[in-house]
Amino acid sequence: MQTRGRWRLELETRAELRDALGFQTAERLRAWLGLPVTRVHTRKVFHLDLDLSREEAERVLGVLVDPVAERGAVGMLPDPWTDMPSFVTVGFRPGVTDAVGATVKRAAEDCLGRALEGHAYSSTMFVISGLDGAGLLRATEELLVNSLIQRVRFDTAPRDLDLDIPRAGGETAPEVNQVALREADDAALTRTSDRGVLALSLVEMRAIAAHFRALGRDPTDAELECIAQTWSEHCKHKIFAAPIDMHEADGRTIRINGLFRTYVRGATLAVAEERARTGADRDGEPWLVSVFHDNAGVVRFSDVDHLVYKVETHNSPSALDPYGGAMTGIVGVNRDAFGTGLGADLLTNVWGYCFGDPHHTSAMPAGLLHPRRLRDGVHRGVVDGGNQSGIPYSRGFELFDARYLGKPLVFCGTVAVMPVTSAGRPTHQKSAQVGDLVVLVGGRTGKDGIHGATFSSVRLDENSPVQAVQIGDPITQKMMFDMLTEARDLGLIASITANGAGGLSSSVGEMATATGGARIDLAKVPLKYPGLQPWEILISEAQERMTVALRPEHEAAFMDLAARHEVEATVLGTFDASGRLHVTYGAQTVADLDLAFLHEGVPLPRLRAEAPASAPPADVDAFSRWVVDADPAATVLAVLAMPEHADGSARRRGYDHEVKGLSVVKPLGGIRRDVPAVATVMRARHGRDEGVVLGEGVHPSYADLDAEQMARAC
């Protein structure tokens, strides 16, 4: 008997129409796995853990079903098949972000005109014919399910009504624990780092232990986690920052003061100085408006707009969960571009993938997915994260090389347009002040994304943590962007930043450097489900969240605007000048960290390099990969057979490049519009003639050379 408050809805494509997902899944099972599947039919399944009557559940179903292409039922649809198919239902594990489920709940609330307590959960049912038990298990493990983030249920006809839900959380009381470091030996320090997925070296663990030894106490779990994410390679780029002792062949030793400072920042500043010296900057104003200190770089573009550009990789998360990891990459870089200055208007996305051979036939290393599955999931994640946020794409590439089998490269980028001024202020400048409110805006906080920053610094294997992977909710993020754009134009925002790796510990910890301190109460943070410990709330990288600094006199207007946009906004505390990041859970202190130690206390590694004794041979393999003089015809055929040269127009067409209506030179050209363009052009604003030109280049074989050899070979 169905009980009030928990309902199951099933939807499927009408029999007279093609079930596109079912057809695609069957084709992949045959082509990728060689399985003799005869038919795959799919159904959408929604579990509503909401206080609804039967009549209300029927009304919600009516909103979800497309009456032209679908049919649905409260409970179960009839199973008319006589060939005894197998039913495989795939949904998310408890606590994993279910963006579709969240959208279904919002639709139910809009339909019924009232707020609903509880959650909605989505899953997909595959009705499969033609496979025996072994084939079904292989199909499930190798194609249908990612066991890291998904759960699976098997059924045969006749089915029972399944009302189980993946409810997350519990009633665990919040605790703050001390971590014994002061008296720990090296072995114990190493175990603490490894077991906690902290990705801290022994030298770094010793530095932390010494710091707290001087304070006369051990760190709390939250303090250690906060330091670990702040000192992670992801956040501090320690390898790029580390000094290098270069030992020359003639016996001399040259100290390089870090690759980033010397060659990246140094080269950029040299360009800026040269432009200023030669008068290339228009009206004496610098072309480089803001670099190296905000979420993304800002350059001059027109008299009314600046350009914002950010590209980042999301390799490790995408290797574990291609769809969720890549979606998080694209929505995360969108959030970084948006959170630059006082806020930028997102214009377009770019993407690029480096995978192993899609025709790879030998066994994969434990815990890693086949390049075919990675390729499919990554692109779907990037497409959904971009297009569902209302953002087109302009550039995209794929490259295949055996060296990417262990870890793919997934590049996600965003171009944005920033008004030169907003509400009478330069938009690229932001500054929290003492007394400003710390406000969390957007999605709720969950366990997803815990250790995201530190996890990206460790080796991938079958023990990689599930909670390190997040799945974005682009609809929630788009609503937040719309609200914050309006707040920017009204002059309500003092400062803003994305909640990236490390969550609140990162965003508040970084923004606090502007004033010299901050105090926040984690008990006020809206949660996806109960049971999170304070340290988890502090470092969770759960998506769709921004941290805003707000003048107290703007609080009422800001909260009213958030309510009108149906966006959650919560005051967590204030910025101060204490010199500390002070975090509480109610009256209990969770973390009390010195900001100087948090941001400047990391001991950088000392790197050693040796210059090659002789120049590289003239026929360096990295540069001869494309040229084989012995048989030009065979070389041409070999090049044409490479997977990156196959027709990729279908993949590109799956990502809409015409959203916003600003595209001028399209990503695909030629008579049939199926040839990748060398570059694209996109207007920055409607009604204006300024355009953004984008292109890219990638050559993994350069990695075969060391930097000295590369310079000589070029």
Side-chain angles (χ1 to χ4, degrees), residues 77-306:
L77 287 163
D79 301 330
W81 304 282
T82 58
D83 56 356
M84 299 301 292
S86 298
F87 299 84
V88 182
T89 304
V90 180
F92 291 115
R93 288 183 177 274
V96 177
T97 298
D98 186 346
V100 174
T103 301
V104 167
K105 181 188 175 184
R106 280 197 295 268
E109 291 177 326
D110 290 342
C111 171
L112 301 176
R114 63 185 176 89
L116 297 170
E117 290 295 325
H119 299 274
Y121 305 91
S122 70
S123 55
T124 301
M125 176 186 289
F126 298 89
V127 186
I128 303 175
S129 298
L131 298 183
D132 58 16
L136 186 66
L137 184 61
R138 186 177 175 215
T140 302
E141 292 178 344
E142 297 189 28
L143 183 66
L144 303 182
V145 176
N146 181 350
S147 60
L148 189 70
I149 62 166
Q150 292 173 318
R151 60 195 180 96
V152 61
R153 176 186 171 97
F154 296 93
D155 290 287
T156 55
R159 294 185 289 137
D160 295 324
L161 180 63
D162 170 30
L163 296 177
D164 290 339
I165 58 171
R167 181 182 285 128
E171 300 304 324
T172 306
E175 296 180 353
V176 178
N177 298 307
Q178 304 294 316
V179 183
L181 289 189
R182 285 181 296 169
E183 306 304 325
D185 60 18
D186 287 352
L189 291 174
T190 300
R191 283 196 302 272
T192 298
S193 177
D194 292 345
R195 291 175 180 174
V197 198
L198 301 178
L200 292 168
S201 69
L202 178 57
V203 172
E204 291 164 343
M205 290 296 291
R206 287 172 177 168
I208 296 169
H211 175 76
F212 283 95
R213 191 178 302 119
L215 296 177
R217 66 178 180 89
D218 282 314
T220 67
D221 48 8
E223 287 173 331
L224 185 56
E225 294 282 357
C226 183
I227 294 170
Q229 73 80 21
T230 304
W231 290 9
S232 68
E233 185 65 37
H234 182 91
C235 295
K236 285 297 182 186
H237 305 292
K238 293 174 289 190
I239 300 300
F240 264 16
I244 303 172
D245 290 330
M246 170 64 78
H247 297 271
E248 297 285 351
D250 59 7
R252 293 178 301 126
T253 298
I254 300 174
R255 169 64 58 84
I256 299 173
N257 195 19
L259 291 175
F260 176 78
R261 183 179 288 110
T262 304
Y263 298 110
V264 180
R265 184 184 182 92
T268 304
L269 296 180
V271 169
E273 292 169 0
E274 178 67 12
R275 289 180 62 89
R277 186 186 65 80
T278 60
D281 287 330
R282 192 169 60 245
D283 304 325
E285 293 294 327
W287 174 63
L288 297 175
V289 177
S290 174
V291 291
F292 301 128
H293 70 272
D294 208 334
N295 293 307
V298 183
V299 298
R300 292 188 72 193
F301 181 63
S302 70
D303 55 346
V304 296
D305 286 311
H306 298 313

Side-chain angles (χ1 to χ4, degrees), residues 464-501:
S464 297
V466 58
Q467 71 271 19
V469 180
Q470 318 100 51
I471 297 178
D473 182 351
I475 303 300
T476 296
Q477 183 156 296
K478 178 63 165 63
M479 295 167 65
M480 177 184 68
F481 285 167
D482 290 345
M483 175 260 164
L484 290 174
T485 299
E486 192 171 338
R488 176 200 69 191
D489 294 341
L490 291 172
L492 301 180
I493 296 174
S495 185
I496 186 172
T497 195
N499 267 35

